[in-house]
Amino acid sequence: MRVNKLTFAALAVTATLSLTACQSGDGGKGPSDPSSASTAPSPGGGSPSWSADQGGGKASGGKSSAGPGTPGQGTAAGTGSGANGKAAKCRTDELEITAMDNTIDGDPDGTVAVQLKNRGSRDCTLSGFAGVDLKTNAGSLSAKRSGEQAGAAVLKPGKSVAFGINYPINTSGGSGVRVTGLLVTPPDETKSVTLDWPGAATLPVTEGPGSPVKVGPIGSAGQGD
């Protein structure tokens, strides 16, 4: 009986040692793996590597080449400038528009110079041709564009530029067509202004299609400053 008890005791001890060895081996590997992963540096900038004060959006925004301090990116807001730092178009309400007789003695045609002055607080651009219509007792007469090269002008506040209107002088001896007013529409605008006509009182009656009145491009008259 004593021999049997010793045998069972020996078997129990052996089984216990074997079970302890197995648990020790598996347990050593189990907790070590997640511990190693959580402390390793993350090359891709994963969530374990960022703290609450190091958010990805904040870091990239502060270093972005297109941030608020970059030239050409948001710096033109409120200045009236357009894309690439260019001055925006002059609007009709920003311009003081006047007309004056500019006919030179001896010229076969009469000339009226129309001046456009920037009365706003920002630089603006005028380019191409303005729209010109003469009001007459026979109806409205639209001026056609001359063959001159169309240019552009950047007007600083208080500065002006002018263009010319050429018309035939009435030498027929007849009453002709009476001019009662001048309608000017700045380039790229739809709003017009009505002015008194400072030129000759009448135009000759012409036969055939087309308008005898011609308008030059912006800068074609020497009245700007």
Side-chain angles (χ1 to χ4, degrees):
M1 184 64 67
R2 181 176 179 79
V3 173
N4 289 337
K5 288 182 178 181
L6 290 174
T7 300
F8 287 133
L11 291 173
V13 171
T14 302
T16 301
L17 291 174
S18 176
L19 180 60
T20 301
C22 291
Q23 290 177 341
S24 175
D26 293 341
K29 291 181 180 179
S32 64
D33 290 341
S35 175
S36 174
S38 66
T39 56
S42 174
S47 56
S49 66
W50 295 101
S51 69
D53 294 330
Q54 292 177 316
K58 181 177 180 181
S60 64
K63 297 178 182 178
S64 172
S65 60
T70 303
Q73 183 69 27
T75 57
T79 64
S81 296
N84 301 321
K86 295 181 179 179
K89 299 287 185 181
C90 296
R91 315 307 298 182
T92 302
D93 291 338
E94 297 175 308
L95 297 170
E96 179 184 335
I97 303 176
T98 55
M100 63 211 76
D101 183 21
N102 201 37
T103 303
I104 299 175
D105 291 341
D107 281 359
D109 294 330
T111 302
V112 166
V114 178
Q115 180 174 276
L116 303 98
K117 183 176 183 179
N118 181 4
R119 64 180 183 181
S121 59
R122 65 180 179 94
D123 293 0
C124 65
T125 302
L126 286 171
S127 61
F129 291 81
V132 170
D133 296 277
L134 270 62
K135 294 181 178 182
T136 76
N137 62 337
S140 181
L141 179 64
S142 296
K144 64 181 181 180
R145 296 178 177 182
S146 69
E148 297 176 73
Q149 181 86 18
V154 177
L155 296 184
K156 294 185 177 298
K159 296 300 181 179
S160 61
V161 68
F163 65 87
I165 302 172
N166 294 99
Y167 62 93
I169 296 176
N170 183 15
T171 58
S172 65
S175 59
V177 178
R178 183 166 55 87
V179 182
T180 60
L182 171 64
L183 196 68
V184 176
T185 308
D188 301 314
E189 268 285 58
T190 56
K191 186 175 182 179
S192 304
V193 295
T194 301
L195 307 172
D196 292 335
W197 173 250
T202 63
L203 303 177
V205 177
T206 58
E207 300 291 336
S211 173
V213 181
K214 295 181 179 181
V215 56
I218 293 296
S220 62
Q223 297 295 320
D225 59 3

